[in-house]
């Protein structure tokens, strides 16, 4: 081109290099992380993060901004996983340009599958196998091996061993070095640390227990009268067959504990019922020392040392759900015991809540109770008879006699236990969860009107109002039970005080009587406290009936946690007498 001439050129386009996130790693390491608990320090590693150009950047986890993110270089961004985030994508934006997202599972619980492990000196164990790790969606986070090598950790975890008897590597492999006792603790971010008890036997011992599978709940044990093992149920870890903790419940799955669920700002109280194993006596006289005096169908905490399974005794697993801590009330009801001059108000809402010192939601049909529970939450349903029986079995195997409002605002057998009156009902109905000791003899944190005998248990299972349950029923003119509307070939006894429970494999989980006897209602008889089974084929209402549990405030000794009434159709509402209780199962 000659001097002074001009020409044209393509338009120049300036573009920024897009950020690239190659991996999420544990802070200060090159170890990839696919799952981590809140409180864990993590780093994004990659390219073009904009540090050298001073460009603005933003990190989010499933839409939640990370406010403490730091960017020391163009290749690293460090941050701490905050509380409240859920499993999802980690996204990075640099000056308006996004990197491809990386998935991260947010861990919400880490528990040991066993409470204790026995192994021999010189043995090794992979601690990851012994852990149950759950993400925010309550889905198991599992390790992955290839050729015997751990290629994916279940989560970013830290293991700490005490003393000199064990060594724990950063890879989570435990080495037992010498005979004795030790502990190993696992931590995950800001979650509560969990400790595993270890017993190390001498090398060559013939009784090692290095198998990392969960403890067999049916290991033989020889109970003797008075042995405290009778009152220590075997509590089981969560598994794929049981209910789960709620996503926002960070408590221990192995213990009963309260849980508060909030819906549109309205709080409801539930109690987590852990999975546990119990054993029903079919032929008590064949089950060994101490059992012969129990009635058929009685439940005990430990497997009998003698007898044959399904012939002399049978084991069942219960729990894995949240029981309403109190009988249901209406969502717009107002709590109040009147002592502060503000009486309770029943409300008119068609939605439920579960709260103390409230007027029970009564005058409700079976179907209306089912619908109210289903409308509350996708995880909610009307309490099933197996779930009710789980609470009754727990009280039985732990030696708790559940008291209640069965005598017009007190307990007929313990009249120092009194209840706050419902101001809308002059007959003797009580406000929910108000059982107290007028004589002030309760020990701290105890309350015998719950299924655990503690203030953190489930209230008012004995008396106050009859409660609809979801599973059991009967048919007029028939002498057999129904389960979920289906005929069951198990005959029901005539009405009377419950003397034994049915051990039949089809109904033993549902707490139905095997035999009854006539009682005068003035004093309890037998192991079931005189709790009443009023049903007989002559008493059954026309058509299909549904179960009512627990009795009511005028039931005297006939009300109780084992009380079961199959005489009423689902349309029965009976004014102030009939209520219900929701259950959450995740």
């Amino acid at each position: 081109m000659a001097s002074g001439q001009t020409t044209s050129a393509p338009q120049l386009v300036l573009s920024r290099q897009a950020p690239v996130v190659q991996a999420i790693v544990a802070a200060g390491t090159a170890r990839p992380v696919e799952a981590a608990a809140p409180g864990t320090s993590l780093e994004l590693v990659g390219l073009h993060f904009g540090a050298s150009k001073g460009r603005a950047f933003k990190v989010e986890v499933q839409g939640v901004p990370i406010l403490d993110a730091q960017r020391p270089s163009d290749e690293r961004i460090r941050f701490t996983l905050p509380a409240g985030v859920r499993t999802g994508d980690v996204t990075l934006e640099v000056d308006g340009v996004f990197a491809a997202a990386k998935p991260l599972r947010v861990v919400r619980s880490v528990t040991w599958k066993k409470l204790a492990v026995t192994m021999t000196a010189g043995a090794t164990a992979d601690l990851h196998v012994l852990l149950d790790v759950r993400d925010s969606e309550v889905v198991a986070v599992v390790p992955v091996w290839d050729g015997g090598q751990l290629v994916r950790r279940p989560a970013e975890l830290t293991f700490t061993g005490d003393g000199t008897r064990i060594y724990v590597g950063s890879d989570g492999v435990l080495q037992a070095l010498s005979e004795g006792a030790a502990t190993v603790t696992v931590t995950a971010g800001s979650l509560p640390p969990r400790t595993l008890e270890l017993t190390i036997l001498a090398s060559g011992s013939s009784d090692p227990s290095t198998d990392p599978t969960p403890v067999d709940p049916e290991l033989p044990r020889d109970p003797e009268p008075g042995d405290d093992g009778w009152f220590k149920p075997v509590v089981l870890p969560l598994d794929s067959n049981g209910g789960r903790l709620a996503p926002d419940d960070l408590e221990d799955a192995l213990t009963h504990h309260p849980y508060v669920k909030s819906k549109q700002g309205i709080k409801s109280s539930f109690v987590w019922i852990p999975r546990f194993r119990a054993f029903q006596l079919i032929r008590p006289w064949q089950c060994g020392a101490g059992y012969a005096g129990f009635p058929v169908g009685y439940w005990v905490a430990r497997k009998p040392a003698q007898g044959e399974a399904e012939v002399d005794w049978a084991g069942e697993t219960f729990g894995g759900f949240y029981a309403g801590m109190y009988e249901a009330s209406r969502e717009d009801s107002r709590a109040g015991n009147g002592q502060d001059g503000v009486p309770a108000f029943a409300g008119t809402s068609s939605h439920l809540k579960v709260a103390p010192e409230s007027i029970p939601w009564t005058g409700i049909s079976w179907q209306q109770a089912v619908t109210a529970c289903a409308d509350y939450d996708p995880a909610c349903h009307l309490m099933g008879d197996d779930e009710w029986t789980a609470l009754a079995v727990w009280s039985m195997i732990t030696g708790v006699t559940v008291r209640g409002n069965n005598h017009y605002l007190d307990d007929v057998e313990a009249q120092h236990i009194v209840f706050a009156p419902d101001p809308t009902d002059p007959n003797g109905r009580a406000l929910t969860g108000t059982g107290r000791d007028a004589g002030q003899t309760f020990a701290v944190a105890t309350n015998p009107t719950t299924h655990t005998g503690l203030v953190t248990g489930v209230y008012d299972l004995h008396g106050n109002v009859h409660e609809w349950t979801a599973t059991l029923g009967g048919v007029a003119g028939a002498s057999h039970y129904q389960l979920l509307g289906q005929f069951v070939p198990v005959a029901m006894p005539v009405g009377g005080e419950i003397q034994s429970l049915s051990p039949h494999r089809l109904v033993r989980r549902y707490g139905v009587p095997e035999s009854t006897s006539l009682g005068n209602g003035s004093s309890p008889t037998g192991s079931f406290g005189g709790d009443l089974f009023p049903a007989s084929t002559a008493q059954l209402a026309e058509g299909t009936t549904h179960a009512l549990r627990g009795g009511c405030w005028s039931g005297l000794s006939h009300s109780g946690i084992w009380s079961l009434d199959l005489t009423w159709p689902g349309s029965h509402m009976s004014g102030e007498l009939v209520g219900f209780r929701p259950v959450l199962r995740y």
Side-chain angles (χ1 to χ4, degrees):
M1 186 171 64
S3 176
Q5 290 181 321
T6 62
T7 187
S8 61
Q11 184 176 1
L12 213 61
V13 178
L14 298 177
S15 63
R16 295 176 182 156
Q17 290 179 305
V20 177
V21 176
Q22 297 171 328
I24 304 172
V25 301
T29 76
R31 185 171 61 251
V33 172
E34 296 189 10
T40 303
S41 293
L42 302 173
E43 290 183 355
L44 304 181
V45 295
L47 302 169
H48 316 310
F49 288 173
S52 60
K53 304 293 186 180
R55 292 172 178 163
F57 75 101
K58 181 169 66 174
V59 179
E60 293 185 348
V61 178
Q62 194 61 6
V64 177
I66 307 300
L67 302 179
D68 71 342
Q70 299 177 347
R71 182 179 55 181
S73 72
D74 284 334
E75 292 80 32
R76 284 187 178 265
I77 293 176
R78 177 172 293 188
F79 65 95
T80 300
L81 195 60
V85 298
R86 301 180 71 89
T87 291
D89 287 336
V90 179
T91 57
L92 170 64
E93 178 187 356
V94 178
D95 231 7
V97 181
F98 285 88
K102 288 287 183 182
L104 179 69
R105 297 179 71 175
V106 177
V107 173
R108 61 163 303 282
S109 68
V110 177
T111 57
W112 295 104
K113 295 177 182 176
K114 291 184 173 184
L115 299 180
V117 167
T118 300
M119 56 195 304
T120 57
T124 63
D126 189 333
L127 293 172
H128 297 98
V129 179
L130 294 173
L131 288 170
D132 181 24
V133 180
R134 301 277 161 175
D135 68 10
S136 63
E137 313 312 303
V138 205
V139 176
V141 185
V142 297
V144 175
W145 288 268
D146 184 7
Q149 298 297 313
L150 182 70
V151 295
R152 188 170 75 202
R153 301 160 67 91
E156 184 57 25
L157 307 171
T158 301
F159 298 99
T160 306
D162 73 327
T164 60
R165 293 188 173 90
I166 59 173
Y167 171 77
V168 182
S170 59
D171 58 356
V173 174
L174 166 71
Q175 294 182 337
L177 302 177
S178 61
E179 181 181 359
T183 61
V184 60
T185 301
V186 61
T187 55
S190 58
L191 296 181
R194 304 294 188 187
T195 299
L196 176 69
E197 302 290 335
L198 299 171
T199 300
I200 304 170
L201 305 178
S203 180
S205 167
S206 61
D207 187 30
S209 178
T210 56
D211 178 11
T213 56
V215 174
D216 177 4
E218 295 188 9
L219 288 176
R221 187 177 188 276
D222 185 14
E224 297 293 340
D227 186 334
D228 63 357
W230 286 66
F231 304 109
K232 290 183 179 178
V234 176
V235 178
L236 307 177
L238 297 176
D239 67 15
S240 58
N241 296 318
R244 302 290 173 196
L245 291 178
D248 58 345
D249 184 357
L250 301 182
E251 296 295 329
D252 191 341
L254 298 179
T255 62
H256 284 73
H257 60 264
Y259 167 69
V260 176
K261 186 172 184 65
S262 182
K263 302 280 289 186
Q264 285 89 39
I266 305 296
K267 294 181 178 180
S268 290
S269 297
F270 293 84
V271 177
W272 169 250
I273 311 301
R275 295 178 67 242
F276 67 94
R277 194 75 167 154
F279 299 87
Q280 191 182 36
L281 306 179
I282 301 174
R283 299 197 302 175
W285 57 92
Q286 296 289 346
C287 293
Y291 288 117
F294 287 116
V296 170
Y298 198 87
W299 292 89
V300 295
R302 298 284 175 155
K303 172 183 168 182
Q306 299 178 27
E308 182 180 349
E310 297 296 335
V311 175
D312 302 310
W313 54 265
E316 290 283 349
T317 298
F318 296 95
F321 63 90
Y322 294 89
M325 196 172 203
Y326 312 100
E327 294 159 333
S329 54
R330 295 182 185 269
E331 185 182 69
D332 60 346
S333 63
R334 181 180 64 230
N337 57 25
Q339 295 178 2
D340 56 1
V342 180
F345 170 69
T348 59
S349 172
S350 60
H351 299 288
L352 69 83
K353 71 177 177 183
V354 186
E357 296 190 347
S358 297
I359 296 171
W361 183 352
T362 57
I364 185 169
S365 71
W366 182 85
Q367 186 58 59
Q368 288 171 339
V370 169
T371 300
C373 293
D375 288 347
Y376 177 71
D377 189 84
C380 186
H381 61 262
L382 179 65
M383 176 174 274
D385 290 87
D386 56 334
E387 292 160 336
W388 182 287
T389 301
L391 305 182
V393 169
W394 182 272
S395 68
M396 177 172 280
I397 66 177
T398 54
V400 175
T401 299
V402 181
R403 301 298 184 184
N405 175 24
N406 63 2
H407 184 231
Y408 308 94
L409 299 176
D410 65 27
D411 185 294
V412 70
E413 298 156 39
Q415 293 187 11
H416 62 288
I417 299 175
V418 297
F419 298 80
D422 176 346
T424 67
D425 185 88
N427 297 314
R429 189 172 67 191
L431 299 176
T432 59
T434 55
R436 65 180 179 85
D437 179 14
Q440 299 183 341
T441 60
F442 288 179
V444 174
T446 64
N447 191 314
T449 68
T450 76
H451 81 293
T452 59
L454 303 173
V455 295
T456 52
V458 179
Y459 287 79
D460 300 325
L461 295 164
H462 178 162
N464 206 37
V465 297
H466 298 281
E467 298 184 29
W468 288 120
T469 47
T471 321
L472 277 171
V475 177
S479 59
H480 294 77
Y481 297 105
Q482 285 206 325
L483 286 177
L484 297 173
Q486 300 298 312
F487 171 83
V488 178
V490 179
M492 62 176 67
V494 298
E497 293 182 353
I498 299 171
Q499 297 298 300
S500 64
L501 297 178
S502 176
H504 194 287
R505 63 183 179 82
L506 294 178
V507 295
R508 62 185 174 225
R509 293 181 54 80
Y510 302 97
V512 302
E514 172 82 353
S515 65
T516 58
S517 67
L518 297 178
N520 60 17
S522 62
S523 61
T525 60
S527 298
F528 302 95
D531 293 5
L532 190 66
F533 179 70
S536 71
T537 56
Q539 291 174 300
L540 295 182
E542 182 178 351
T544 301
T545 68
H546 292 281
L548 289 166
R549 293 278 190 172
C552 70
W553 67 80
S554 61
L556 302 177
S557 63
H558 282 161
S559 290
I561 197 169
W562 291 103
S563 174
L564 170 63
D565 188 341
L566 290 175
T567 63
W568 295 102
S571 59
H572 175 66
M573 300 168 74
S574 193
E576 74 278 10
L577 286 172
V578 176
F580 69 107
R581 188 184 305 259
V583 159
L584 300 174
R585 190 180 281 269
Y586 291 91

